[in-house]
Amino acid sequence: MGVTIHDIAKEAGVGKSTISRVINGTGYVSAETVAKVRCVMERHNYHPSAAARNLSKRESDTVGLNLPEVNNPFFADILKGVSQMVEKCGYTLVLCGSDNDVEKDYRALRAMYAQRVKGLIYVPASDYADNPSFARMEGMLKSLDCPVVLLDRPVARMRCDCVMTDNFSGAYEATEALIRAGHTRIGVIAGDTELFIGRERYEGFLKAMEQNGLAVNPGHVIYGQFDKQITYGKVSGLLDGGDTPTAFFVSNNLSEAGFLAAVYERGLRIPEDVAFVGFDSIPGPDIFNMPYSSLEREVLRLGEQAAQLLFRRFDAPGRPTEKVVILPHVCLRGSERLVSGR
């Protein structure tokens, strides 16, 4: 026989009515008790049935959005796209952030449970590749008892609607643009290769180099972790060392900001001294007073499409899962050029 509400109450040292209030988000329960009950429920992978929850909960009009980086301009645009569609369709948006931290991701999912969201648009903090973390995350999503749409970062074993970018093709095209411009010594500022999107972008770069017969110098591979400060520090070290490639493929917008800060701090010019193509945009004309080449992928549309997928799932719960893949395109504005004499 499976674990019952009586078993959870006994182990947590509280009454069944307290367990019910925690499950349904009704009445007062101290934060300490909620945490203790949730811990016991997770330990036993206990999920109350939909019927039991629906006995005491009202139909929700809230949609959850869980983002890993609320301070990233890319995710700010995602938020804008989602919120516009959510408002248009008469729902209320609940926002949580994880700071790319798995424990904060779990806490955000618990907050979504407490809010009793009708549906969730989820950008996970991790790939959840190992079995224990995947089981815990999957269990928490199941406990929400609502449709979930994965956005931007897929999780391999999850069967749900998904909106994502073709990261491999985008990185390949960006690298090809540098090669067509005449560069043969090309470095890469890779992202977090623990994430699927980081691996895909790095592999797209490698494939373009390989298919064009160009060698990758290990000393020109920088792991910037999709982080401005980490990228700044590592690019600074490479530039100060003197062995610099003529161009870089830069894996995301925060890495671009760190890369450009290091370049300009040393009085170097783009593209005269070093060229680059980036993945996604930062407000370059405003911050650096220059146009630069980048991959564009209609970020507002990513958010809008995720919300549309969720609303279609509300209307047709039994339809097959859907995967929407956005193809980025290269916008060349001059920062990819090879200037003669280098």
Side-chain angles (χ1 to χ4, degrees):
M1 180 183 292
V3 175
T4 67
I5 192 171
H6 175 78
D7 299 323
I8 299 296
K10 184 177 179 181
E11 184 169 335
V14 298
K16 288 192 289 186
S17 61
T18 299
I19 303 296
S20 180
R21 288 199 298 275
V22 171
I23 290 171
N24 294 297
T26 57
Y28 172 76
V29 184
S30 72
E32 181 181 357
T33 300
V34 169
K36 182 165 61 174
V37 170
R38 291 277 182 227
C39 182
V40 174
M41 289 172 64
E42 287 175 21
R43 184 157 57 245
H44 292 285
N45 200 24
Y46 175 77
H47 308 294
S49 69
R53 286 193 67 205
N54 286 336
L55 285 174
S56 59
K57 77 170 187 176
R58 300 184 302 274
E59 181 68 15
S60 172
D61 66 349
T62 57
V63 168
L65 174 62
N66 193 12
L67 296 177
E69 301 168 10
V70 295
N71 62 338
N72 185 328
F74 169 78
F75 288 112
D77 282 344
I78 287 286
L79 171 59
K80 184 176 181 180
V82 170
S83 62
Q84 286 177 346
M85 190 59 61
V86 166
E87 183 178 353
K88 180 180 178 181
C89 294
Y91 291 94
T92 301
L93 187 67
V94 176
L95 175 65
C96 284
S98 68
D99 294 327
N100 284 308
D101 181 282
V102 168
E103 289 302 321
K104 289 184 179 180
D105 212 21
Y106 293 144
R107 287 202 294 272
L109 293 177
R110 285 196 289 270
M112 294 298 179
Y113 182 97
Q115 291 290 330
R116 293 180 287 178
V117 293
K118 184 180 177 70
L120 175 66
I121 298 170
Y122 180 36
V123 188
S126 162
D127 279 1
Y128 293 103
D130 64 281
N131 290 332
S133 66
F134 176 80
R136 185 179 179 191
M137 181 273 299
E138 185 184 40
M140 296 183 79
L141 289 179
K142 284 182 178 178
S143 74
L144 293 177
D145 187 32
C146 72
V148 176
V149 174
L150 284 176
L151 175 57
D152 187 54
R153 300 179 179 182
V155 176
R157 290 179 283 177
M158 279 193 64
R159 295 177 59 85
C160 64
D161 296 322
C162 179
V163 179
M164 60 179 293
T165 302
D166 189 339
N167 291 282
F168 180 93
S169 295
Y172 185 98
E173 286 190 36
T175 308
E176 279 261 293
L178 292 168
I179 295 168
R180 287 195 302 270
H183 297 280
T184 57
R185 292 189 302 116
I186 303 172
V188 59
I189 300 175
D192 182 354
T193 52
E194 291 293 311
L195 292 173
F196 173 82
I197 59 171
R199 295 191 298 273
E200 286 284 285
R201 293 177 194 180
Y202 182 48
E203 288 167 9
F205 162 80
L206 293 177
K207 192 66 174 180
M209 295 290 281
E210 177 191 341
Q211 291 197 336
N212 285 276
L214 298 177
V216 177
N217 182 340
H220 295 164
V221 177
I222 291 175
Y223 294 94
Q225 298 299 109
F226 293 141
D227 182 90
K228 178 181 177 180
Q229 287 306 123
I230 292 173
T231 299
Y232 166 79
K234 291 187 175 183
V235 171
S236 295
L238 179 60
L239 295 177
D240 291 342
D243 178 23
T244 307
T246 62
F248 284 92
F249 164 59
V250 187
S251 290
N252 88 327
N253 54 356
L254 297 183
S255 298
E256 290 163 35
F259 166 77
L260 289 170
V263 167
Y264 286 132
E265 188 177 84
R266 285 153 181 78
L268 301 176
R269 300 162 300 164
I270 292 175
E272 288 82 3
D273 298 309
V274 61
F276 83 102
V277 176
F279 205 113
D280 289 332
S281 299
I282 56 173
D286 297 334
I287 296 177
F288 298 105
N289 193 30
M290 61 157 289
Y292 61 91
S293 304
S294 64
L295 283 160
E296 304 293 340
R297 50 177 171 159
E298 300 180 82
V299 182
L300 286 177
R301 185 173 162 230
L302 279 169
E304 290 170 354
Q305 292 215 333
Q308 288 169 348
L309 265 186
L310 187 63
F311 299 148
R312 287 205 294 274
R313 181 63 59 189
F314 290 165
D315 295 336
R319 67 180 179 81
T321 56
E322 188 173 347
K323 182 179 181 180
V324 176
V325 180
I326 304 294
L327 295 173
H329 58 279
V330 180
C331 292
L332 299 179
R333 303 181 181 94
S335 69
E336 82 289 350
R337 292 187 299 113
L338 175 65
V339 177
S340 60
R342 275 196 291 147

